[in-house]
Each structure stands twice: as C-alpha cells, then as structure tokens.
Amino acid sequence: MDLPEGLDWVRASPAGRAWLTTLPTWLAECTERWSLRLGPPFRYAYASLALPADLPDGTAAVLKLQYPDEDSRHEADALAHWDGDGAIRLLAHDPERRALLVERCQPGTPLHELPMDRALDAVTVLLPRLWRPAGAPFTPLAEEAAGWIDRMPRNWERAGRPYERRLLDATLALLTDLTSSQGEQVLVNQDLHAGNVLAADREPWLAIDPKPLTGEREFSIVPMVRGRELGHSPAAVRHRLDRLSAELGLDRERARGWTIGHTLAWSIADDVVFTHQIEVVRWLLDEG
C-alpha cells in the first residue's frame, strides 16, 4: 500500500506490522460496504490511514482506519455525542475494523494558518460548544491521570532519564493534587491542537480527530497551550494559557498544572522522546 510518511513509525513494532497487514483487506471491505470512491491517502495522517472518499450520492467524506491505540478508541462515540455541533459529523462506523466514515472539511485549511490571536479567537468560540456533559463509555480524566502517574517514572528510567528529576517530581505532585479536586465533568479532548481544527463550508471551524475523556474544563485547553502549531516559545505558550484561561473563565493555575502534567506524560512514546514537550514543561514550571 502507498502509506503516508506519517505512519512510518508503525513499522517499528510487531503490533504495528500486524495492523499494516490487515489494512488492504479492511480498506477493500469498507470501500465495498459503503460504496466509496477513494482518493490517495492524506500524507499528514499520523495515527490512522485516512483517505478522501465520495459517497454514491456525491457526499464528500473521509474514510479513516485507525491505528488501534487506546487514546482514540472512543473517537466515534465523541463525534456521535457532539452530533456535528462544533465537530465533524460521524457518517458511519465499523468498530471491528476501527473504521470511521466522517464528514470532509472543505476547504480544510488548518487553524494554525491564522495568526495566533485570530486562531485563539476561534478557539474561544468553539470550545464551549464541545463542553457537553458525558459519562460512559468515555474514560474519566482522573483514571487516565492515575495511569500517567503510574507509568511516568518507569518511562523516564527506560528512556535514559531524558529530563531532570525535578520535572518528574513536580509533575507527579501536580497531577496527584489536580486529579482529586476537579470541577464539573464534561467531554474534553486530549488532542485539540491547531492542526485538528479545520475550516469547513458548513461552519467556519470544526474539530477533527478527538481523543476524548471526561474531565474538568481546564484540561480542555492543554493541547492548544502546548502545541507548536501556533508558535513554540515561552512567550507564545504563556500567552495562549493567559488568553484562553481568561476569556473562557477558567482557573489559570489548574490549566497550567494540567498542561504540565499531560505534556510531560506525552513526552515519551515507546523509545521516542519529544524534547519540545519537555521544553514546554520547563517553561511553565519555571515561571513561578
């Protein structure tokens, strides 16, 4: 298959190679089941094989075959819960194949094409629409954070201690405190960065590719605060934290704590260390 470069990492593990062997069959089966006319894969896809698709009635869609990770397990449930309000619509779902048929954003321009403050203007309008009360089947943020607390020391050791012990200790303390003192639980998205908000003809901006949890609202701005898409510097990160916290009525210190916790938890994946994530943690821990 003509796989996008973004999926090269999948070949490094037995599970990834096993998934790749199933893709041609699943792709053919989904194409036949939904009577799709497919285009070439999107080259930027990282956690799924995603292809533009046209339905028999001319509807423009995207077919996604997800890599079977836990973070995106309930993507279809989140899209169904939002039902097109602030996010792309789910058109069909095949849980066995981890296949989703979703609305295609056109023109599909990513939010990070805007200057940072104009992008943040859009985020402050979009996010409150996504804060819907939710329960099962979504994983609670408290449960997810408990897993980060458990795994982070082992991952740090296994990766050769790629950052200072003080970052690990401070982050574990923050997560422990935040987890037990949350506010109202709503649907939040671990991956709502400026590359996962696209311009559409139905609405100015729609969220795509959610990795959903249920947790307090302060957690929901974490990907926008830390993401490199709108600028990677201490000033840019703090500006996003300040603006989004103030304009969305969020507790800045809790949002800062969640950003530190989630960013360090996601700074090591298998044998890969994401140094830009570690930089964000340093910048926010050292601001006070």
Side-chain angles (χ1 to χ4, degrees):
M1 293 183 64
D2 179 25
L3 289 176
E5 296 82 359
L7 282 174
D8 284 347
W9 64 275
V10 173
R11 305 179 194 275
S13 70
R17 292 190 293 273
W19 177 68
L20 289 177
T21 65
T22 68
L23 278 183
T25 299
W26 286 357
L27 181 61
E29 290 171 348
C30 290
T31 301
E32 180 178 2
R33 175 181 178 181
W34 292 319
S35 302
L36 304 176
R37 186 171 69 253
L38 300 177
F42 292 109
R43 307 311 301 176
Y44 58 78
Y46 181 80
S48 64
L49 179 66
L51 309 95
D54 292 315
L55 276 63
D57 64 1
T59 299
V62 172
L63 173 64
K64 291 183 61 178
L65 292 168
Q66 297 176 318
Y67 182 76
D69 64 351
E70 284 301 312
D71 291 332
S72 61
R73 177 171 296 279
H74 295 298
E75 176 177 341
D77 299 301
L79 294 177
H81 196 67
W82 287 318
D83 193 24
D85 187 3
I88 56 170
R89 286 198 173 100
L90 178 69
L91 305 178
H93 180 215
D94 183 335
E96 180 183 351
R97 295 169 178 79
R98 292 287 292 266
L100 287 77
L101 191 65
V102 299
E103 173 184 9
R104 191 192 318 167
C105 292
Q106 296 177 307
T109 309
L111 186 64
H112 60 70
E113 292 292 321
L114 296 182
M116 178 164 57
D117 276 313
R118 286 183 57 199
L120 295 180
D121 289 341
V123 174
T124 59
V125 173
L126 182 65
L127 261 180
R129 300 171 62 189
L130 304 177
W131 289 337
R132 294 193 175 192
F138 304 110
T139 302
L141 174 56
E143 180 180 321
E144 193 76 5
W148 303 333
I149 292 168
D150 178 62
R151 294 188 298 271
M152 285 170 65
R154 296 197 304 273
N155 292 343
W156 181 70
E157 291 284 359
R158 189 182 305 118
R161 301 184 178 186
Y163 50 81
E164 310 92 283
R165 178 76 202 207
R166 71 177 181 93
L167 303 187
L168 178 62
D169 290 342
T171 299
L172 293 174
L174 280 169
L175 285 173
T176 300
D177 178 65
L178 289 165
T179 299
S180 61
S181 58
Q182 293 184 70
E184 181 186 7
Q185 303 288 284
V186 296
L187 193 57
V188 294
N189 180 357
Q190 298 186 79
D191 208 27
L192 190 71
H193 56 72
N196 277 345
V197 178
L198 304 182
D201 49 9
R202 180 168 65 84
E203 291 203 21
W205 301 101
L206 293 172
I208 67 167
D209 297 347
K211 295 183 177 359
L213 300 170
T214 51
E216 65 177 354
R217 290 170 174 81
E218 279 75 8
F219 180 82
S220 65
I221 68 172
V222 166
M224 283 290 173
V225 172
R226 70 143 179 266
R228 292 183 292 178
E229 297 82 8
L230 296 177
H232 184 67
S233 70
V237 167
R238 290 170 185 151
H239 179 69
R240 293 193 292 271
L241 176 60
D242 290 341
R243 264 209 66 187
L244 292 174
S245 297
E247 296 183 22
L248 291 169
L250 304 175
D251 184 313
R252 183 191 186 278
E253 282 307 297
R254 295 190 68 83
R256 172 179 169 267
W258 282 123
T259 304
I260 291 167
H262 192 257
T263 301
L264 199 66
W266 276 26
S267 69
I268 300 173
D270 298 323
D271 296 326
V272 180
V273 176
F274 300 102
T275 56
H276 62 280
Q277 304 268 76
I278 297 168
E279 288 174 335
V280 170
V281 172
R282 285 197 192 100
W283 296 336
L284 291 179
L285 277 175
D286 293 344
E287 73 171 15

